[in-house]
Amino acid sequence: MGGSNSTGRRSGSVPRAMPPVEEVDISAVRYKSPALQAPHLTGFSLRAFVWLMESPLLGRLITSVLKSQNNMPQMLQQTVIPERPMYYPEFPLQDPEPEVVLVDEDRDPVERVHEALRCLPQYDPSVRWTTEENPPFLYWKIRDFAHAYSSGITTPSVVAEYVIAGIEEWNNKKPPMPMLIYFNAEDLKKQAEASTKRFQRGNPISILDGIFVAIKDDIDCFPYPTKGATTFFDQIHTVERDAVCVARLRKCGVIFIGKANMHELGLGVTGNNPNYGTARNPHSVDRYTGGSSSGPAALVSSGLCSIAIGTDGGGSVRIPSALCGIVGFKTTYGRTDMTGVLCDSGTVEVASPLTSSVDDAILV
């Protein structure tokens, strides 16, 4: 849409034509706050006003009066915007860049992951595996797990037992650390057993086979409910299938540990949740993780899983990742299919990975 440095009311019925956007000097635009007539209400008067606004007849009448008092119908009807409306962002096609691999969106997820794997440096187990008696703390990355599974050092089933014990330990701490809203230990064991058998037969699906993944509670992951960290949303929303991003991960053989805690409906940047408790920062439990993808960040930063999938509109992946010392990557709009995500029609929010390393973010 174009802009204008004129925000005052226009008298009569003379249309106000906004200049085309290419003719607007943004540096010269100054916003002038218009005089608004709106009630200032608190306490009982606010509750009474809300009750009136929710009334089918009175609510419409009050809304119409408030709009007329503030000249909104005239302003909208008498403003001419030269550009056609845009419902989704547009971005021009880019020329191919040297040494950049394009991974086609329509390709099989396993093939896409394999293509991304080829872009990473050669994996050197000696860098990560040590015989030191007291080795330093290191996050296990995706390729660390894959190496451990394929070489027989451990199995997904063994790791699953540690994950279950870790989740129970965090939940029983004082104060508790509710990183997951929905968790089913038996389902986790079944997924891990299936992955273990694939490794025993020598045919893992992909580099992501047996990797433990948490899904934020505003993304559908069948058969788990999607609540958006509320107490009601699962009553009006039935999960019948995986979200597209979840389905692609499942096809690669990942193990889902459950639905991760979050700021209720994603409307906040602290992660504070009065319904299920607050997922605290594993590095300092008296501090917030940040939000709204608080549970995913806490799970990855605590080392319970290498990957979590969150959603980011105004920083909901990047903020908790920064506060918890992990990697949060907001993907480009349109890069990830948002079907099956609670906010699947926005032009800002995207499903994005939280990982312990940049390498893992690339693979996810």
Side-chain angles (χ1 to χ4, degrees):
M1 292 174 59
S4 172
N5 58 6
S6 174
T7 57
R9 298 180 183 177
R10 294 299 181 96
S11 60
S13 59
V14 180
R16 178 171 68 100
M18 302 181 74
V21 66
E22 60 270 11
E23 298 178 8
V24 177
D25 181 5
I26 300 297
S27 63
V29 175
R30 297 292 181 268
Y31 177 75
K32 297 178 182 179
S33 178
L36 298 177
Q37 300 182 43
H40 180 76
L41 305 170
T42 60
F44 176 78
S45 59
L46 175 60
R47 296 182 64 179
F49 181 76
V50 171
W51 180 82
L52 291 171
M53 288 296 292
E54 291 178 344
S55 170
L57 294 178
L58 291 177
R60 293 180 181 179
L61 178 61
I62 295 173
T63 300
S64 177
V65 170
L66 288 175
K67 286 181 177 180
S68 297
Q69 286 180 345
N70 291 285
N71 204 34
M72 292 178 66
Q74 295 88 336
M75 180 179 65
L76 294 175
Q77 293 169 3
Q78 297 172 14
T79 299
V80 178
I81 302 174
E83 292 85 18
R84 296 181 62 186
M86 289 178 58
Y87 299 103
Y88 294 98
E90 289 183 352
F91 46 91
L93 294 176
Q94 293 178 309
D95 295 330
E97 300 177 69
E99 300 183 7
V100 171
V101 176
L102 298 179
V103 183
D104 186 24
E105 180 75 12
D106 296 328
R107 288 174 61 183
D108 181 79
V110 175
E111 294 179 2
R112 288 161 56 96
V113 171
H114 181 69
E115 189 73 41
L117 183 63
R118 293 171 56 188
C119 298
L120 299 181
Q122 187 70 27
Y123 178 74
D124 182 2
S126 65
V127 176
R128 304 287 296 179
W129 300 90
T130 176
T131 57
E132 296 179 25
E133 185 176 345
N134 295 309
F137 174 80
L138 294 173
Y139 285 115
W140 275 45
K141 302 188 215 178
I142 290 172
R143 292 195 288 177
D144 296 328
F145 279 106
H147 172 76
Y149 295 156
S150 60
S151 59
I153 296 174
T154 189
T155 67
S157 291
V158 171
V159 176
E161 295 297 335
Y162 281 104
V163 172
I164 293 169
I167 291 171
E168 292 175 349
E169 178 183 347
W170 280 108
N171 286 340
N172 293 328
K173 282 184 177 293
K174 293 184 179 180
M177 183 79 164
M179 293 183 277
L180 290 167
I181 288 178
Y182 187 89
F183 171 67
N184 187 320
E186 292 305 314
D187 181 60
L188 180 62
K189 291 178 182 179
K190 289 180 181 179
Q191 294 181 71
E193 182 182 2
S195 178
T196 297
K197 289 180 179 179
R198 290 194 292 269
F199 277 97
Q200 290 173 343
R201 293 193 298 265
N203 61 347
I205 297 174
S206 74
I207 192 72
L208 295 180
D209 202 337
I211 303 301
F212 292 80
V213 181
I215 302 297
K216 188 178 178 182
D217 195 37
D218 61 352
I219 304 173
D220 287 348
C221 182
F222 185 82
Y224 309 146
T226 294
K227 300 181 179 181
T230 69
T231 58
F232 68 88
F233 189 74
D234 59 318
Q235 301 172 24
I236 60 175
H237 173 76
T238 302
V239 178
E240 298 179 346
R241 62 181 65 85
D242 287 334
V244 171
C245 59
V246 172
R248 290 174 176 173
L249 286 169
R250 193 187 296 275
K251 194 168 184 179
C252 293
V254 306
I255 298 171
F256 296 109
I257 69 173
K259 301 300 290 294
N261 204 345
M262 58 181 286
H263 202 111
E264 187 173 8
L265 290 175
L267 300 177
V269 296
T270 64
N272 186 12
N273 188 300
N275 300 320
Y276 301 99
T278 298
R280 299 167 180 268
N281 194 317
H283 298 295
S284 181
V285 295
D286 59 339
R287 300 176 187 272
Y288 281 125
T289 57
S292 63
S293 302
S294 52
L299 286 158
V300 174
S301 63
S302 68
L304 286 174
C305 60
S306 297
I307 306 168
I309 304 299
T311 51
D312 190 312
S316 288
V317 161
R318 293 161 291 167
I319 292 171
S321 297
L323 297 186
C324 292
I326 59 174
V327 175
F329 178 58
K330 181 180 180 181
T331 55
T332 305
Y333 173 78
R335 175 76 179 271
T336 305
D337 191 320
M338 291 289 285
T339 304
V341 181
L342 191 152
C343 181
D344 65 352
S345 59
T347 58
V348 174
E349 184 167 338
V350 295
S352 300
L354 299 88
T355 64
S356 61
S357 70
V358 174
D359 286 1
D360 287 358
I362 292 172
L363 292 174
V364 178

